[in-house]
C-alpha cells in the first residue's frame, strides 16, 4: 500500500501502491503521515512522493469513504489534512513525482511538497473538489495561491478545474515536466542538487521562505476540519458526492 524505497544520498521514496488508482483511504493516509514524520528520525535527508505509471493518486477513496461511520470519516479527513501538514512542516526537502493523473486529494498533497515534477503528456492535475461538492479550505487555497497566484488560484478552485500537464507547468502548478519514465529520476536529481548546497544556509533559507505556509497549515481556523466535515454531511454535498461516485463507476 505504501512502499518505502531508499535511494543514494539519504533520499527516501514514499511510493503510493494501492491499486488500481492509489485512492487514499485511512490506512494509506495513516501510513503516509507516519512515514513523513518519522523520516528525519530515521536518518532520511529528503523525501520523494511517487505513484504508479499513468496515475499519481486519484485522491480520497470516495466510494469507500461514503460507506464509513462518522468516527472513520473524521479520522480519515484528519489523516488527510495531517499528511498535508506533515509535508508542509517537514524539515526535509520533498518532491512530488507526479507520474500521471492527480485529481483532488492527490493534487492537494502534491502542492504541499517543495517541488513538483509531472509526467509530460495527456495527464490531468487539479483541485476538482467543488465538482464533487466539497469546499476547499482556506489553508489549501493559501497553498495554491503561493504557487499560481491569486487569479489562477481563484479560477482553478471555484470551477474545480483540471488542467493537463503543459498548462500546469505554464501557470506554476507544477515546476517542471519530464518524460513519464524520467519523472522519478528528475525528482531525485533535483533533490541531490539541493542537498549538495551548503546545508545550514539552504535549510535556514528554506525555513524562512516557507514560514507563511507552515503558519497557515498549523492554524486550526484555516484548516477547520470540523467545518469541513459538517459541510461534507450536507444533503446537497452528499448528493453531489454520490453522483460523482456513479460517474466513476461507469468509467
Amino acid at each position: 500500500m505504501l512502499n518505502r524505497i531508499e535511494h543514494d544520498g539519504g533520499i527516501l521514496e514514499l511510493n503510493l501502491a494501492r491499486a488500481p488508482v492509489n485512492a487514499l483511504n485511512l490506512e494509506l493516509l495513516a501510513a503516509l503521515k507516519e512515514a513523513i514524520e518519522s523520516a528525519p528520525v530515521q536518518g532520511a535527508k529528503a523525501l520523494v512522493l511517487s505513484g504508479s505509471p499513468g496515475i499519481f493518486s486519484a485522491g480520497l477513496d470516495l466510494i469507500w469513504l461514503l460507506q464509513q461511520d462518522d468516527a472513520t470519516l473524521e479520522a480519515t479527513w484528519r489523516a488527510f489534512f495531517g499528511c498535508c501538514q506533515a509535508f508542509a512542516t517537514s524539515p526535509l526537502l520533498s518532491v512530488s513525482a507526479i507520474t500521471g493523473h492527480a485529481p483532488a486529494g492527490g493534487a492537494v498533497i502534491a502542492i504541499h511538497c517543495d517541488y513538483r515534477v509531472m509526467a509530460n503528456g495527456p495527464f490531468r492535475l487539479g483541485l476538482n473538489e467543488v465538482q464533487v461538492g466539497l469546499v476547499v479550505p482556506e489553508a489549501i487555497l493559501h497553498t495554491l495561491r503561493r504557487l499560481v497566484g491569486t487569479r489562477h488560484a481563484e479560477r482553478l478552485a471555484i470551477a474545480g478545474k483540471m488542467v493537463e500537464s503543459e498548462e500546469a507547468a505554464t501557470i506554476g502548478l507544477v515546476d517542471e515536466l519530464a518524460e513519464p519514465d524520467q519523472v522519478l529520476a528528475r525528482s531525485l536529481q533535483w533533490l541531490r542538487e539541493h542537498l549538495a548546497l551548503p546545508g545550514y544556509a539552504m535549510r535556514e533559507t528554506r525555513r524562512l521562505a516557507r514560514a507563511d505556509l507552515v503558519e497557515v497549515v498549523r492554524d486550526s481556523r484555516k484548516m477547520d476540519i470540523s467545518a469541513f466535515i459538517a459541510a461534507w454531511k450536507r444533503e446537497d454535498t452528499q448528493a453531489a458526492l454520490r453522483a460523482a461516485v456513479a460517474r466513476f463507476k461507469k468509467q
Side-chain angles (χ1 to χ4, degrees):
M1 188 169 288
L2 181 70
N3 298 322
R4 304 187 190 202
I5 304 166
E6 296 182 359
H7 295 274
D8 293 343
I11 300 172
L12 176 63
E13 178 185 353
L14 303 176
N15 172 247
L16 303 173
R18 184 172 182 251
V21 293
N22 296 329
L24 305 169
N25 65 356
L26 178 55
E27 182 180 359
L28 178 52
L29 289 166
L32 178 59
K33 182 174 181 290
E34 186 279 328
I36 300 165
E37 293 176 340
S38 66
V41 178
Q42 296 177 356
K45 296 181 179 179
L47 297 170
V48 173
L49 179 64
S50 65
S52 310
I55 182 73
F56 176 67
S57 171
L60 269 291
D61 188 340
L62 295 180
I63 297 174
W64 171 83
L65 198 53
L66 284 168
Q67 301 171 7
Q68 304 308 307
D69 59 24
D70 286 353
T72 303
L73 172 67
E74 181 171 349
T76 301
W77 282 113
R78 289 190 180 279
F80 173 72
F81 290 127
C83 286
C84 297
Q85 185 181 80
F87 269 124
T89 62
S90 176
L92 305 183
L93 284 168
S94 59
V95 176
S96 287
I98 303 173
T99 46
H101 297 296
V108 171
I109 289 179
I111 65 176
H112 287 84
C113 292
D114 291 80
Y115 199 75
R116 282 147 295 283
V117 180
M118 186 172 183
N120 194 15
F123 302 111
R124 304 181 74 206
L125 168 77
L127 282 67
N128 64 334
E129 279 78 2
V130 167
Q131 292 193 15
V132 296
L134 299 177
V135 176
V136 181
E138 168 58 24
I140 307 303
L141 289 172
H142 177 90
T143 308
L144 184 61
R145 291 188 202 108
R146 291 180 87 246
L147 300 182
V148 302
T150 302
R151 177 178 174 275
H152 282 307
E154 181 181 345
R155 296 275 68 81
L156 291 171
I158 291 175
K161 184 180 179 182
M162 299 281 292
V163 296
E164 290 196 358
S165 57
E166 185 173 346
E167 183 177 354
T170 298
I171 65 176
L173 189 55
V174 300
D175 295 286
E176 66 173 279
L177 302 180
E179 292 306 304
D181 62 351
Q182 292 299 307
V183 171
L184 178 60
R186 178 54 199 151
S187 299
L188 295 171
Q189 181 182 348
W190 186 89
L191 285 171
R192 288 175 179 136
E193 290 170 354
H194 284 71
L195 291 173
L197 296 169
Y200 175 77
M202 185 275 288
R203 291 191 299 271
E204 183 65 7
T205 302
R206 174 181 179 268
R207 183 187 67 80
L208 293 170
R210 290 171 68 84
D212 67 302
L213 176 61
V214 171
E215 180 181 0
V216 167
V217 299
R218 285 177 171 167
D219 188 340
S220 61
R221 296 167 301 175
K222 295 185 178 181
M223 191 78 89
D224 192 335
I225 297 174
S226 296
F228 183 88
I229 293 173
W232 166 279
K233 292 181 177 180
R234 284 175 55 94
E235 185 177 339
D236 53 346
T237 302
Q238 287 292 300
L241 287 166
R242 295 189 185 282
V245 165
R247 292 194 300 272
F248 298 156
K249 289 180 176 180
K250 291 180 180 179
Q251 295 176 356

